[in-house]
Amino acid sequence: MSKGSMFVSVACTLLLLSVIVGCGSKPVGQYPDTTVPSGTSTGKPMQNASHTQSIRQSQEERMLSFYKDSSLSDEEKVRYITDHLAGIQWDTFNKISGKQSLEVIEYLYRQRAFIPSESFPNLIQASAGLDGALSESYAAIMGDLFTRDKTAMTRALAKTDKSTCIHGTGSIGYALSYREPKEVKKEIRQWQAGQQLTKAEKEVIRAILVKLDDPY
């Protein structure tokens, strides 16, 4: 056999082998063992486990988890807690937390500077269902927030239902009664004179002033 014929024969053999190998292989990523991680589907990120757990938790459990989260700053913790205060069942919270309701309320009082005015409606909604030391400590928060921002608190109270408003104004009036009532009334009326209050907002102020005369 001539050298030219031998070269052609070898080339044909190599070409045939490359075709056979190519047909027997699979593209990268199509092997059976390259599966999508559990909890995901193609094009969708894995669902966050902590988010799923949060959904399953009750409102009281979520609030307790925020309170116990040492990774949060006081400002973050207060914001998360107050975001979940509206409609809180304090008796339920007391049971699941091992009677830490007073501890949490006192913590909020100490960190009250971090409570934003946007959270006032949530605090008002959580003012019911308290008694004794819990009620007094919570009232102290409400009274301080009213003193800090009368406009925001008055508007928030005016937008609640009658029963909730009574609890809220009662808490504020009770807290303010520890100061000199005449001075407090003077301060409130001076503020009121410079405001254009709605009928509902005027009723809120009237209720607070009445409570100052009869805090109990």
Side-chain angles (χ1 to χ4, degrees):
M1 181 182 296
S2 64
K3 290 183 178 179
S5 298
M6 184 179 294
F7 178 79
V8 172
S9 177
V10 171
C12 289
T13 299
L14 292 174
L15 179 61
L16 179 61
L17 287 172
S18 66
V19 171
I20 292 172
V21 172
C23 291
S25 64
K26 292 184 179 181
V28 175
Q30 293 187 15
Y31 285 95
D33 60 343
T34 55
T35 55
V36 178
S38 176
T40 66
S41 58
T42 304
K44 296 180 180 180
M46 192 186 313
Q47 188 176 28
N48 188 290
S50 62
H51 176 65
T52 303
Q53 182 64 27
S54 177
I55 293 175
R56 292 173 182 169
Q57 288 180 319
S58 68
Q59 180 180 352
E60 290 77 19
E61 288 170 332
R62 285 197 297 275
M63 199 173 83
L64 180 61
S65 68
F66 292 135
Y67 177 64
K68 290 186 173 182
D69 192 342
S70 59
S71 69
L72 298 174
S73 66
D74 286 325
E75 184 174 3
E76 291 172 324
K77 189 175 293 189
V78 167
R79 187 57 187 263
Y80 287 138
I81 290 174
T82 55
D83 279 349
H84 291 79
L85 269 179
I88 194 79
Q89 297 297 314
W90 286 108
D91 55 344
T92 300
F93 183 82
N94 216 32
K95 290 177 182 177
I96 68 169
S97 66
K99 298 183 178 180
Q100 287 187 297
S101 292
L102 181 59
E103 182 179 320
V104 172
I105 292 173
E106 289 180 340
Y107 170 77
L108 288 177
Y109 178 76
R110 292 193 303 273
Q111 306 297 335
R112 60 193 182 280
F114 291 129
I115 300 177
S117 57
E118 299 82 44
S119 294
F120 288 4
N122 293 339
L123 275 94
I124 295 168
Q125 292 288 340
S127 60
L130 296 167
D131 55 22
L134 295 177
S135 181
E136 288 197 17
S137 295
Y138 203 85
I141 299 174
M142 295 288 288
D144 186 84
L145 296 180
F146 175 79
T147 300
R148 185 217 299 176
D149 192 339
K150 295 179 180 62
T151 301
M153 183 59 79
T154 300
R155 287 176 179 172
L157 284 163
K159 292 178 180 178
T160 63
D161 61 88
K162 185 176 181 179
S163 176
T164 304
C165 187
I166 289 173
H167 281 294
T169 55
S171 293
I172 293 171
Y174 177 81
L176 296 181
S177 70
Y178 279 91
R179 295 168 54 191
E180 175 54 52
K182 289 183 179 180
E183 290 299 319
V184 175
K185 287 182 179 181
K186 180 181 179 181
E187 178 185 312
I188 292 175
R189 285 170 177 152
Q190 286 178 339
W191 165 81
Q192 185 177 9
Q195 305 296 312
Q196 292 184 336
L197 304 179
T198 65
K199 182 179 179 180
E201 290 166 353
K202 289 178 181 178
E203 181 58 30
V204 166
I205 298 302
R206 188 197 69 80
I208 292 174
L209 293 175
V210 168
K211 191 67 177 179
L212 274 168
D213 289 328
D214 185 17
Y216 303 99

